[in-house]
Amino acid sequence: MPLRFDIKRKLSARSDRVKALDVHDSEPWLLVALYSGHLNIWNYETQNIVKTIEATSNDLPIRTARFIERKSWVVCGSDDMVIRVYNYNTMDKVHSFEAHADYIRCISVHPTQSFILTSSDDMMIKLWDWNKNWACTQTFEGHTHYVMQVVFNPKDTNTFASASLDKTIRVWQMGSTQPNFTLVGHEKGVNCLDYYRGADKPYLISGADDFVAKIWDYQNKSCVQTLVGHTQNVTSVCFHADMPIIITGSEDGTIRLWHVNTYRLEFTLNYGFERVWCVAQLPGSNTLSIGYDEGAIMIKLGREQPAITMDNQGKIIWAKHSEIQQANVKALGDSPHKDGEILPLAVKDLGSCEIFPQTLVHNPNGRFVVVCGDGEYIIYTALAWRNKSFGTAEEFVWSADSSMYAIREGNSRVKIFKNFKEVQDFKPDYGVDGIYGGQLLGVKSGSGLTFYNWETTALVRRIEVAPQQVYWSDNGELVCIATEDEAFMLRYNPDVIEGTPPDEDGFEAAFDVVGEVADKVMTGVWVGDCFIYTNSENRLNYHVGGEIVTISHLDRTQYILGYIAKDSKLYLGDKDLNVTSFALKTAVLEYQTAVMRQDFETADQILPSIDEEHRTRVAQFLEKQGFKEQAMAVSVDPAHKFELALQLNDFATAYGLAVEHSSEQRWKQLSDLALRSSDFNLAKKCMFNAKDYSGLLLLASSLGDSESMVQLAELAHSAGKENIAFTAYMMLNNIPKCLQLLVETERYPEAAIMAKTYMPSEVSKILKLWQADLSKTNEKAAEALADPLQYDNLFPELQLALKAEKLLEKERSTLLPAASYPAVAPNWERDVLAETEEMLASLPEVVASPKEDEMLTAEVKEEQPVSEPEEEEKEDLFEEVPEDLGGVVGAPEPLIALEPEPSSPPSEPPMPPIELEPEPVVQEVPADLAVKVPEMVPEPLVDVAPEPPAEEALAPAPTETPAEAVEEASEKRDLFGNSSTDFLDDMDREISELNLDDINVDDIDLDDESLFD
């Protein structure tokens, strides 16, 4: 029978003439070398160019290019005789060198060593080692014309073959300069060759300009077969790595597929891209790439799923080409294996098959295996591999009854067999495009999927769906219909059929939809009510109760073989016939099945048999089904139990779990839930544990909780959350702490401004710190800062502010309850200084001592001159106090003691910017304390001997120099807090302008106030 398989186009890329192709072994990339001097890398899954390399600057042709995957390189040869190497990740040129004296025709990469072979029109073959800086380690000479291609022998990588236009094929040994032997048979130059990779035949194939391809036995050095059919030069040939076909391409524009055993022509492909120049295929893949004059095409041949099957006892049978092999997972014993690890199976040869196996399937009881391919089927016994039955068929399927099976003949008829005898032959109404086995016989047609009864072929139900595969559960109750991009889970109700007349589409109540999967199912199997499947994204999932659980992310495409309940393991195989396993506890699946059936009594009985490591998975399943209380009881994962407790508003359990397994995230979650439930005490505890200072600030301020606010301020301060700590202290009216925070964080400007507003008594201290910090960057700016104690004229209300500060201390220390908020005027509506003045005015006059108010003794406000009617009032401001308290309070010490006068003459206003000494306000003093002043008191200005004192006067003051007078005046002004370098400079200037020789002491009028200006 001829080979029968589907051929689908995967990529069609129009471009310039393609001279070479290569397929990446791990990425979905196709390397295309163009005659225009460019290299393109196509992603054949997305149909896009992902990388482009301009290899030659003058558009010289590139005739050969290869991937070197283990180095992430692309190596190419062009008509400028240069080999270039690029890193295909960074697109950087790694190396380039001149390799030959003429056009480079071919590059072949050694499969394991650091070697490449190059052939050229200079008739030489060279071996290069990239580990030796691309040194040429050997040259092979012997051909007498262009060497068109070289290929390593995959069975013996120390040998290779070369094809030349001298009509010969030579086989070489690395290390030898002479060929082992030469094959002669073509009438014209040989363009291409390839080795057969199968173990059964020592063959190679060659294609030449004589329009034929020849099969050679390189052990017997003879031509086995000549493939005739092309009408132009044969430019490319290859043996397919996994299918029994030979591919040849020609300048006649066709690709021909030949059977590897019979050499019969099976397919001829012509895609209209003009001449064929090259073909490439990846071992382990069913894809074939073809390079043409007008671009490149990639096609897919047959199925990618390997011909492999497993029975319910763990016996695996697979086909490797036409050879049948067997392995048994039971032979592994109890040796542990990690999930996804390739199992070290012992392989046993069962024999060969007369047809090329495309599918292998066990019957339900595992006694027989059917092999399908090439339009035929053969049923073998599973143990002895003896032929039990055979026939012609396009498709073959088993029934749930192991003794029954069906075959499809063409597109119109289906035959049903029982015990290897035909019992039914019927023609479905809508044709037959495919058939599916299981509890019911499924027939695919243009109208959808139709289910028939195996015994009577009666119509059960027609469903408008285009299936790719149908999977039945072992008990026949559930079925999965997998389409191109989704899958539907149906429950079959056989009892409904009895006694109910069908309509034109069968019995509508025969199936109920129980689930839907928005995913492409590649392979699947039912375990109870759980459907386990692999999808197109290489994920291993299972569907139960409308929920999808991911078991594993697979690193490559794998296909489900079956589930062994005794081992609680799921087995999968890949295209390379590697078998892996994944642990999937039967008890877990049975428990989930019982829950889905709402058989909770059975579920409770199964639960004790589930290991703790799988309890969380079961709890998650229960949660998704809405049984959250049961899930919390089953779960052993604290995090999962905590989440369930939150969902159930079980604060006690959640709080206990949070205490036992403390984390900020859990405390925050619980605090949020407590807030939503108005449980403020619990929320406060959780926020403290979560260190949620901003939340605590909001909660404490909203509740008016001063104790929590104090704790928050301290905690935030210790945790370095100064903003929150400052806000908390501010809300507590703790101004000293606020200032302390600002100073600790070196926020001196803010601290000074805040002190001026709330605690003027601290301004000077903070100002010194500000000046010291500012002087590090700008000394002039630091000097420009004015201290209120030294420049009281710039702070006219300082004294009043100091009194206000003392009066407000008690108010700040008393925290008002939130209930009093409506009755308390906000701060921005208060005039604190006005309130202080009113309060002081309402109090009886009290004389403060310097010990009671340090600021008043350190600084005296300047008194403005008063008119005569106000003199009596001014004199009352100074009261007599005991001598131990310093005498008169508030009056500055005069430079000269004067006799009491009826009134003090008015003084002139001070001259800016220097504020002069205020005229002292004189009050009467007792006669025994009065000091008699002589007629002239010149000591501040002139150093002259005083006149003899009058009898009633005291001795005159000792004589002082002008400089000493200035210093004394300066010291006197320091007591008022007004001294400055400007004042001293003015005094020096005025003294220097005096002519002491012209001064007559007798002319000095002591009543002249200008003397003291």
Side-chain angles (χ1 to χ4, degrees):
M1 292 293 292
L3 286 175
R4 298 193 181 184
F5 50 79
D6 295 331
I7 299 176
K8 297 180 180 179
R9 190 185 307 191
K10 293 190 66 174
L11 174 68
S12 180
R14 291 276 182 178
S15 66
D16 295 331
R17 183 185 303 171
V18 177
K19 296 299 292 183
L21 293 170
D22 196 19
V23 185
H24 199 281
D25 61 2
S26 59
E27 299 289 343
W29 291 349
L30 175 65
L31 176 63
V32 180
L34 302 179
Y35 197 78
S36 61
H38 291 68
L39 294 172
N40 291 337
I41 299 178
W42 284 80
N43 185 317
Y44 50 80
E45 291 183 353
T46 63
Q47 311 282 308
N48 293 321
I49 296 177
V50 294
K51 301 175 188 294
T52 298
I53 302 172
E54 296 183 7
T56 59
S57 58
N58 48 2
D59 295 338
L60 290 175
I62 299 175
R63 299 182 184 273
T64 180
R66 290 290 182 270
F67 280 120
I68 304 180
E69 290 88 352
R70 57 187 182 271
K71 302 293 288 185
S72 299
W73 287 346
V74 170
V75 57
C76 66
S78 56
D79 282 2
D80 58 2
M81 293 80 76
V82 174
I83 297 291
R84 293 176 175 85
V85 185
Y86 297 90
N87 185 307
Y88 55 67
N89 291 324
T90 64
M91 306 302 290
D92 295 332
K93 183 188 291 186
V94 177
H95 194 67
S96 65
F97 58 94
E98 187 172 335
H100 288 274
D102 208 337
Y103 298 165
I104 299 173
R105 292 285 179 173
C106 181
I107 297 175
S108 182
V109 182
H110 195 282
T112 57
Q113 301 296 322
S114 59
F115 302 145
I116 66 169
L117 280 172
T118 62
S119 65
S120 169
D121 287 357
D122 62 5
M123 301 177 290
M124 289 193 295
I125 303 168
K126 293 185 178 181
L127 182 68
W128 309 87
D129 188 344
W130 65 71
N131 282 344
K132 296 181 179 180
N133 197 25
W134 295 95
C136 180
T137 58
Q138 191 172 356
T139 301
F140 303 89
E141 298 183 73
H143 281 294
T144 59
H145 211 306
Y146 302 163
V147 182
M148 303 299 289
Q149 189 173 2
V150 288
V151 178
F152 281 103
N153 186 344
K155 300 174 187 176
D156 180 7
T157 55
N158 285 325
T159 62
F160 64 91
S162 61
S164 172
L165 293 186
D166 62 6
K167 308 177 187 178
T168 65
I169 301 160
R170 297 175 186 257
V171 177
W172 308 78
Q173 181 85 22
M174 286 199 299
S176 173
T177 59
Q178 299 297 321
N180 293 348
F181 55 88
T182 302
L183 301 175
V184 180
H186 282 287
E187 298 177 359
K188 291 187 178 180
V190 183
N191 295 314
C192 48
L193 76 164
D194 190 31
Y195 277 97
Y196 178 69
R197 290 173 173 79
D200 54 332
K201 299 172 182 177
Y203 288 175
L204 63 81
I205 183 175
S206 61
D209 289 343
D210 54 8
F211 308 163
V212 299
K214 289 184 177 289
I215 311 297
W216 304 86
D217 185 329
Y218 55 80
Q219 288 184 350
N220 297 329
K221 305 178 183 60
S222 60
C223 179
V224 176
Q225 184 71 30
T226 300
L227 305 180
V228 180
H230 285 292
T231 59
Q232 289 293 331
N233 302 338
V234 178
T235 55
S236 56
V237 293
C238 74
F239 288 102
H240 196 281
D242 301 303
M243 301 183 71
I245 56 175
I246 301 168
I247 301 108
T248 61
S250 168
E251 291 183 24
D252 61 11
T254 64
I255 290 289
R256 294 176 183 254
L257 307 182
W258 314 75
H259 199 291
V260 74
N261 295 323
T262 63
Y263 307 113
R264 181 178 59 242
L265 177 64
E266 302 288 348
F267 298 94
T268 300
L269 308 176
N270 191 336
Y271 292 100
F273 275 40
E274 298 299 331
R275 294 176 294 181
V276 176
W277 292 107
C278 53
V279 295
Q281 57 106 19
L282 179 66
S285 171
N286 286 4
T287 59
L288 177 68
S289 303
I290 312 162
Y292 292 89
D293 271 336
E294 298 182 0
I297 286 178
M298 177 179 282
I299 59 176
K300 177 183 175 183
L301 306 175
R303 290 168 22 119
E304 289 189 354
Q305 184 172 347
I308 184 171
T309 181
M310 184 179 79
D311 66 5
N312 52 16
Q313 299 297 320
K315 295 178 182 178
I316 303 174
I317 297 176
W318 63 69
K320 201 168 186 179
H321 301 292
S322 295
E323 302 297 322
I324 306 300
Q325 297 178 328
Q326 183 186 39
N328 195 337
V329 297
K330 295 290 186 181
L332 297 174
D334 297 331
S335 57
H337 297 283
K338 295 180 180 179
D339 286 354
E341 181 181 356
I342 296 176
L343 302 179
L345 298 175
V347 179
K348 175 185 176 182
D349 289 330
L350 282 180
S352 60
C353 186
E354 300 173 10
I355 59 177
F356 174 69
Q358 290 184 276
T359 61
L360 274 76
V361 183
H362 275 93
N363 73 333
N365 62 20
R367 292 181 58 192
F368 300 103
V369 178
V370 62
V371 179
C372 296
D374 300 343
E376 298 183 14
Y377 74 91
I378 303 175
I379 300 176
Y380 293 92
T381 57
L383 293 178
W385 200 248
R386 287 196 296 266
N387 189 328
K388 185 67 176 178
S389 181
F390 64 91
T392 61
E394 299 289 334
E395 281 186 277
F396 180 104
V397 293
W398 291 104
S399 168
D401 181 356
S402 298
S403 63
M404 298 185 72
Y405 61 88
I407 62 172
R408 173 173 71 91
E409 290 186 348
N411 295 325
S412 60
R413 305 198 67 81
V414 175
K415 292 183 178 181
I416 299 176
F417 293 78
K418 186 171 184 178
N419 296 325
F420 308 105
K421 295 180 179 180
E422 183 179 334
V423 293
Q424 294 283 352
D425 183 356
F426 73 103
K427 184 177 180 180
D429 296 336
Y430 297 96
V432 183
D433 295 332
I435 57 175
Y436 306 98
Q439 184 71 18
L440 298 175
L441 174 62
V443 177
K444 176 183 177 181
S445 64
S447 64
L449 176 63
T450 306
F451 287 107
Y452 295 92
N453 185 284
W454 280 92
E455 298 287 347
T456 64
T457 67
L459 173 65
V460 177
R461 183 63 180 162
R462 180 178 293 111
I463 303 173
E464 293 183 1
V465 67
Q468 297 290 320
Q469 190 56 264
V470 176
Y471 303 93
W472 283 90
S473 62
D474 291 340
N475 57 13
E477 293 183 4
L478 296 168
V479 60
C480 172
I481 302 175
T483 65
E484 182 65 27
D485 52 6
E486 58 185 340
F488 302 95
M489 312 299 170
L490 307 179
R491 185 178 297 277
Y492 175 48
N493 305 311
D495 298 337
V496 178
I497 301 176
E498 298 179 2
T500 304
D503 56 22
E504 60 179 0
D505 291 330
F507 300 92
E508 183 176 358
F511 291 95
D512 295 327
V513 179
V514 297
E516 182 176 348
V517 177
D519 209 347
K520 182 177 182 179
V521 175
M522 304 300 292
T523 55
V525 64
W526 285 94
V527 179
D529 286 7
C530 300
F531 181 69
I532 308 171
Y533 67 95
T534 58
N535 64 9
S536 57
E537 297 177 352
N538 291 337
R539 290 183 184 176
L540 179 61
N541 300 334
Y542 72 83
H543 175 277
V544 59
E547 299 295 332
I548 296 175
V549 179
T550 298
I551 302 172
S552 176
H553 294 265
L554 306 177
D555 58 355
R556 63 191 182 280
T557 301
Q558 298 190 57
Y559 308 92
I560 294 177
L561 302 178
Y563 179 79
I564 307 298
K566 294 181 181 179
D567 299 339
S568 296
K569 286 187 177 182
L570 181 72
Y571 293 92
L572 297 91
D574 61 15
K575 61 185 178 182
D576 297 324
L577 304 178
N578 297 314
V579 179
T580 59
S581 66
F582 290 87
L584 197 60
K585 293 296 182 181
T586 306
V588 174
L589 299 179
E590 290 175 350
Y591 182 89
Q592 293 174 336
T593 301
V595 171
M596 287 306 304
R597 295 175 177 174
Q598 296 188 355
D599 186 357
F600 298 106
E601 182 178 351
T602 303
D604 293 338
Q605 295 175 357
I606 298 173
L607 183 61
S609 62
I610 299 177
D611 299 335
E612 285 195 1
E613 59 181 324
H614 298 96
R615 290 286 183 96
T616 301
R617 179 183 294 180
V618 171
Q620 291 171 346
F621 169 76
L622 289 170
E623 178 188 1
K624 291 178 180 178
Q625 299 305 312
F627 307 114
K628 296 181 180 179
E629 293 182 358
Q630 292 85 344
M632 190 167 68
V634 170
S635 179
V636 295
D637 181 12
H640 188 220
K641 293 185 72 172
F642 180 79
E643 293 294 336
L644 291 170
L646 292 182
Q647 296 177 32
L648 295 169
N649 287 337
D650 188 351
F651 293 151
T653 303
Y655 185 81
L657 289 169
V659 171
E660 185 177 354
H661 305 277
S662 181
S663 70
E664 290 188 10
Q665 182 62 29
R666 290 182 185 175
W667 287 118
K668 286 182 179 179
Q669 287 180 275
L670 185 55
S671 68
D672 291 343
L673 185 61
L675 280 178
R676 287 195 293 269
S677 303
S678 300
D679 192 342
F680 299 122
N681 289 330
L682 177 60
K684 182 171 64 175
K685 292 179 183 179
C686 296
M687 286 181 179
F688 273 114
N689 285 304
K691 299 179 181 179
D692 184 5
Y693 301 120
S694 57
L696 278 171
L697 181 64
L698 175 63
L699 182 62
S701 60
S702 301
L703 298 176
D705 188 351
S706 59
E707 294 182 2
S708 298
M709 191 70 78
V710 171
Q711 295 178 19
L712 168 63
E714 294 174 354
L715 288 175
H717 186 195
S718 61
K721 305 293 184 182
E722 285 82 6
N723 285 343
I724 295 177
F726 181 89
T727 305
Y729 281 131
M730 193 68 187
M731 299 182 76
L732 290 168
N733 254 339
N734 196 337
I735 303 302
K737 282 289 188 180
C738 291
L739 291 175
Q740 179 184 344
L741 275 175
L742 291 174
V743 170
E744 288 178 358
T745 56
E746 298 182 356
R747 307 285 290 272
Y748 301 121
E750 293 91 332
I753 294 172
M754 184 175 186
K756 180 179 179 296
T757 305
Y758 294 97
M759 292 189 69
S761 60
E762 299 294 327
V763 172
S764 295
K765 296 179 183 178
I766 296 173
L767 191 65
K768 291 178 182 178
L769 297 173
W770 186 5
Q771 287 175 326
D773 182 67
L774 186 58
S775 62
K776 298 176 182 177
T777 57
N778 193 331
E779 292 186 3
K780 290 185 178 181
E783 293 174 357
L785 297 175
D787 188 344
L789 297 183
Q790 297 180 4
Y791 298 93
D792 59 343
N793 60 309
L794 301 178
F795 304 91
E797 295 180 335
L798 177 63
Q799 298 302 321
L800 187 59
L802 291 169
K803 294 178 182 178
E805 177 186 346
K806 288 185 174 296
L807 291 174
L808 291 175
E809 284 183 359
K810 184 176 181 181
E811 181 179 329
R812 287 176 180 163
S813 62
T814 303
L815 298 176
L816 298 177
S820 63
Y821 173 80
V824 177
N827 288 338
W828 60 84
E829 295 181 2
R830 295 180 60 183
D831 188 345
V832 178
L833 296 181
E835 292 177 11
T836 304
E837 288 181 339
E838 292 177 4
M839 189 178 296
L840 292 175
S842 65
L843 294 175
E845 293 185 358
V846 178
V847 178
S849 67
K851 295 182 180 179
E852 293 174 336
D853 192 344
E854 295 179 1
M855 290 296 296
L856 293 179
T857 59
E859 175 178 341
V860 179
K861 294 294 291 178
E862 176 183 355
E863 300 291 339
Q864 297 295 329
V866 297
S867 60
E868 292 184 0
E870 297 175 339
E871 178 184 1
E872 185 175 353
E873 181 183 352
K874 282 292 183 178
E875 290 177 352
D876 292 339
L877 293 175
F878 301 94
E879 298 180 359
E880 185 174 340
V881 294
E883 292 181 0
D884 59 341
L885 295 178
V888 178
V889 176
E893 181 180 349
L895 294 174
I896 304 171
L898 301 176
E899 287 288 337
E901 294 293 336
S903 62
S904 300
S907 60
E908 297 180 2
M911 297 178 61
I914 300 174
E915 190 172 345
L916 299 181
E917 287 286 355
E919 186 70 14
V921 179
V922 183
Q923 70 176 13
E924 291 188 33
V925 294
D928 56 344
L929 294 177
V931 179
K932 300 298 181 177
V933 181
E935 295 180 6
M936 294 175 293
V937 189
E939 73 271 16
L941 301 175
V942 248
D943 189 10
V944 294
E947 292 287 334
E951 292 181 358
E952 69 274 14
L954 296 176
T959 305
E960 292 179 320
T961 64
E964 292 173 343
V966 172
E967 182 178 358
E968 181 181 354
S970 174
E971 293 173 356
K972 292 295 182 180
R973 293 184 66 84
D974 284 344
L975 296 176
F976 295 99
N978 294 325
S979 65
S980 68
T981 58
D982 294 340
F983 172 77
L984 295 178
D985 292 341
D986 293 341
M987 291 292 292
D988 290 340
R989 185 172 62 255
E990 290 177 7
I991 294 173
S992 65
E993 293 174 355
L994 292 175
N995 190 353
L996 299 180
D997 296 336
D998 297 335
I999 296 177
N1000 186 357
V1001 177
D1002 296 335
D1003 296 335
I1004 298 175
D1005 185 5
L1006 295 179
D1007 295 332
D1008 186 3
E1009 294 181 358
S1010 63
L1011 176 64
F1012 301 97
D1013 290 341

